[in-house]
Structure formats: C-alpha cells, structure tokens
Amino acid sequence: MSGKRITRLTPDQRRTQLVDIGLEMLADRSLDELSTDEVARRAGISRGLLFHYFDSKRDFYRAVVAKECARFIEAVEPDPALAPVAWLRSFIDGFVAYVLEHRQVYLALVRGASGSHPAVADILGETREAVARHVVDAQRRIGMPETPRLDIASRAWMAFAEEAVTGWPLGEPGAREELAAFLESSFVSLLGTLDRPVGLADMAGMADVVARQAGA
C-alpha cells in the first residue's frame, strides 16, 4: 500500500508560507486579531513548531508587516527613466492600484498596527518615510518651488491621499481614473502653492505647467 508522499518544506519555504498565511488572514481582521494558533493550523503544523521558525509572536508579526510594507514600496516605485509628469502619475497610479487591491490589509496595517503593536511601528514609519521621499522627489521633478515646509506638506498630502483612496466610491465606471486624477490635482494644489499666497489663478497656473509637461 502506497501512501501520499509529503513534500517537506525548507526552513525558508516554511517561513514564507507562514508569513503568507498571516497576510491572507489580515484581509478580514486586524493585526490584533491575527492568531498564531490559526496560522499554524492552516499551515498544518503545531503552534510550537511555528515558534521554531520565529522567535516570538512579536517576531512573526514583524515578518508579516515587513513583507507587506516591502510589497507596498515596490508597488509605488516609478521607473526612474520616466519624464517628470509621467513619473508622478506612475507613483499615484501605483499607490491607487495597491490600496484598491489590498485595501483591507492596508487598513489593518496602516490604521491598526502602529498603535496596537509598537513593535512594528518602526517598520511602518520607515515605509511612510520611503513613500514621503517619493512625494518630495515628484515635487522637485515637476519643477515646484523648494520650501522648508515641504516635508510637512508631503506627509499632509499622504494622509489626504490615504483617506481619499480608502473612502472613494468605486461603483461607477471610470471611478478609479477619476480618483487618480483627483489625487494628481490635490498634489499640484497643495505642494505647488507652498510659501506663497494661494489663489485660484496660482493653482490654475501650476496646473497649466503640469499639463504642458504632460503633453511635451
């Protein structure tokens, strides 16, 4: 009688499997609710064996968060060879696509993990810093004025963009494209008018600059 052959995973393969299961589970729960008992059960191993691959629950949580944050950073990384406006649009499109595809995981990490799990706050902070550098880079690429308040404005725009993407109604045709255009417009309006009087004419002028670059 021949039994079913069981394929043994290498330690790296098992770690990857366990982290991936953790990420799948974050699709319908917060990091607080991520049970290592259930992760082990889904992987077909004991909870004790899970901690053979991770030093602690904290270590496992950090591995889960780190993998998702790396995936997020990769998704918003534009091709450096792109022209300025195309670079900005690629960054925004990547951000929109990632959050819409991984909305629940994004909410579980960004909205929940930093407060409830200080152990992963540094990973989330580094991720936000990496994305903020893209915002600053985009501002410089499209020729917006330098300002000492750029870092603050970049983080303010990121918070605005996060709220827009996670709350945008997506039922209508073209909603995703409208969302990307809305974020581009908000980028120009906020970062293009720093350290000078804000008026409709100013914003229209900066929008014209972006439009001309896009058509070049």
Side-chain angles (χ1 to χ4, degrees):
M1 179 177 177
S2 61
K4 182 179 179 181
R5 185 175 180 179
I6 299 174
T7 302
R8 288 186 174 274
L9 300 181
T10 67
D12 285 345
Q13 289 172 331
R14 180 68 77 185
R15 280 179 60 91
T16 297
Q17 178 201 37
L18 294 168
V19 169
D20 287 345
I21 290 171
L23 287 173
E24 289 171 6
M25 290 170 62
L26 283 180
D28 59 11
R29 69 198 71 194
S30 69
L31 195 59
D32 272 325
E33 299 167 325
L34 182 57
S35 164
T36 50
D37 287 335
E38 186 173 351
V39 171
R41 181 182 61 78
R42 293 191 184 192
I45 63 174
S46 69
R47 183 175 184 273
L49 187 55
L50 182 146
F51 291 116
H52 174 75
Y53 301 101
F54 300 94
D55 293 338
S56 61
K57 181 183 286 189
R58 175 185 182 275
D59 185 38
F60 176 67
Y61 283 169
R62 285 181 64 83
V64 170
V65 172
K67 182 165 185 176
E68 189 61 28
C69 285
R71 183 160 65 178
F72 176 41
I73 291 173
E74 182 180 2
V76 301
E77 183 72 40
D79 181 346
L82 290 172
V85 173
W87 193 96
L88 170 62
R89 287 176 176 166
S90 176
F91 163 63
I92 291 176
D93 288 345
F95 177 73
V96 169
Y98 171 84
V99 178
L100 294 186
E101 184 177 350
H102 306 282
R103 184 187 294 245
Q104 293 307 315
V105 174
Y106 182 79
L107 289 173
L109 295 181
V110 175
R111 296 272 178 96
S114 59
S116 59
H117 288 281
V120 300
D122 61 321
I123 300 174
L124 294 169
E126 290 165 6
T127 301
R128 286 184 177 276
E129 287 294 326
V131 179
R133 286 194 292 272
H134 282 340
V135 177
V136 173
D137 194 8
Q139 184 262 2
R140 291 171 177 156
R141 282 171 179 263
I142 64 177
M144 290 180 174
E146 295 284 345
T147 167
R149 289 190 279 274
L150 179 57
D151 286 343
I152 296 174
S154 298
R155 287 164 178 76
W157 181 82
M158 285 171 55
F160 174 87
E162 175 189 309
E163 189 64 31
V165 174
T166 56
W168 194 266
L170 296 170
E172 298 296 324
R176 178 168 167 171
E177 290 73 17
E178 289 177 1
L179 171 58
F182 176 70
L183 291 180
E184 181 182 332
S185 175
S186 71
F187 184 97
V188 172
S189 298
L190 176 62
L191 281 86
T193 55
L194 291 173
D195 285 350
R196 60 194 179 95
V198 179
L200 293 177
D202 293 322
M203 289 188 286
M206 183 56 67
D208 286 343
V209 170
V210 173
R212 285 198 297 273
Q213 290 191 21

